[in-house]
Amino acid sequence: MIRLRLPPRFSLAGLLGATLWVAACSPFPSQEQTAVYELSPATSVASVETLPLTLRLDTPSANGPLNSTRILVKPEASKINVFPDGRWSDNAPALVRERLIETLRQSGAFEAVLSERSSARTDLVLTSDLRAFHGEYRNGSTEVVIALEAQLIQSASQQVVATERFDVRQPSRSNQLEDVVDAFGQAGKTLSTQVVDWSRKEAESQSDPR
């Protein structure tokens, strides 16, 4: 057995005190001081006739600050800040992906909705680019902005059959972080509903023999 020998005049209480002092002086914030947030769950959408098609939804691509867990806010058009006391449970593209998949499955619009992790063959693929996922200050209030450019692709031919840009804006009740997060949740629900309606309409037009 290896015995730890403390130097003379160095008690265990002193060692613990030194450890606490180092932690208190650390420049890195404590994980416990940072709240972790998720987008609110998807709400039920109106059921529609199910298309006999399978759809794969890929994680949206995103560049720079958008591809992170930071909660972003733009006080000016060319400036990006972050809320220091909170972060997302996953990076923004993953949050959007999970919300879209959940809403698509609840809608029953397609026979099956799979994620990119599945190796099963599908009829269609929904890819996208996340262009905005942040808050903006407008006249002293915060407005959440989510922008997504979507592409519907036929799996067999790899041909793009439809493209669309979705821009959703949702005012926050206040500039407090909790209210801003709630606004993100509402904006996510609106975006998901719009994507479901669009993707089903375009898929139906492609499968219509007329």
Side-chain angles (χ1 to χ4, degrees):
M1 177 183 295
I2 298 176
R3 296 182 180 277
L4 177 64
R5 294 183 177 275
L6 297 178
R9 298 184 180 179
F10 206 116
S11 66
L12 180 59
L15 178 61
L16 291 175
T19 302
L20 293 175
W21 180 85
V22 171
C25 296
S26 172
F28 301 104
S30 170
Q31 290 279 352
E32 296 179 354
Q33 295 177 352
T34 303
V36 179
Y37 295 94
E38 296 181 338
L39 287 181
S40 54
T43 53
S44 300
V45 295
S47 299
V48 295
E49 183 179 353
T50 301
L51 296 175
L53 300 171
T54 55
L55 174 72
R56 190 186 83 214
L57 192 143
D58 291 350
T59 302
S61 63
N63 295 321
L66 287 179
N67 194 19
S68 74
T69 61
R70 293 174 292 183
I71 303 177
L72 307 178
V73 62
K74 297 179 71 173
E76 303 171 9
S78 58
K79 185 177 181 180
I80 299 178
N81 288 346
V82 300
F83 283 96
D85 299 327
R87 63 178 178 85
W88 296 117
S89 59
D90 207 335
N91 60 46
L95 293 177
V96 173
R97 177 198 66 210
E98 293 305 308
R99 190 60 65 250
L100 290 174
I101 289 178
E102 184 181 3
T103 307
L104 280 162
R105 286 174 175 170
Q106 286 185 3
S107 72
F110 296 90
E111 191 173 86
V113 178
L114 308 176
S115 73
E116 61 195 1
R117 294 186 291 270
S118 173
S119 59
R121 295 182 60 183
T122 58
D123 299 300
L124 298 166
V125 179
L126 181 60
T127 65
S128 58
D129 302 283
L130 188 61
R131 298 301 187 187
F133 195 85
H134 62 264
E136 290 183 359
Y137 287 137
R138 288 179 174 272
N139 301 319
S141 299
T142 302
E143 183 178 56
V144 165
V145 181
I146 302 179
L148 188 76
E149 293 182 354
Q151 305 87 36
L152 193 63
I153 301 171
Q154 192 175 63
S155 297
S157 65
Q158 290 297 295
Q159 178 183 359
V160 177
V161 298
T163 62
E164 187 64 61
R165 180 182 172 97
F166 301 91
D167 288 281
V168 177
R169 291 180 174 270
Q170 176 67 44
S172 173
R173 290 189 298 268
S174 76
N175 295 331
Q176 297 297 316
L177 178 56
E178 289 78 9
D179 288 335
V180 174
V181 169
D182 286 343
F184 269 104
Q186 291 299 320
K189 292 175 183 178
T190 301
L191 173 72
S192 299
T193 301
Q194 292 179 359
V195 171
V196 168
D197 293 342
W198 168 78
S199 59
R200 189 191 185 285
K201 178 182 176 181
E202 294 297 336
E204 187 175 29
S205 66
Q206 292 298 317
S207 61
D208 192 337
R210 295 176 297 178

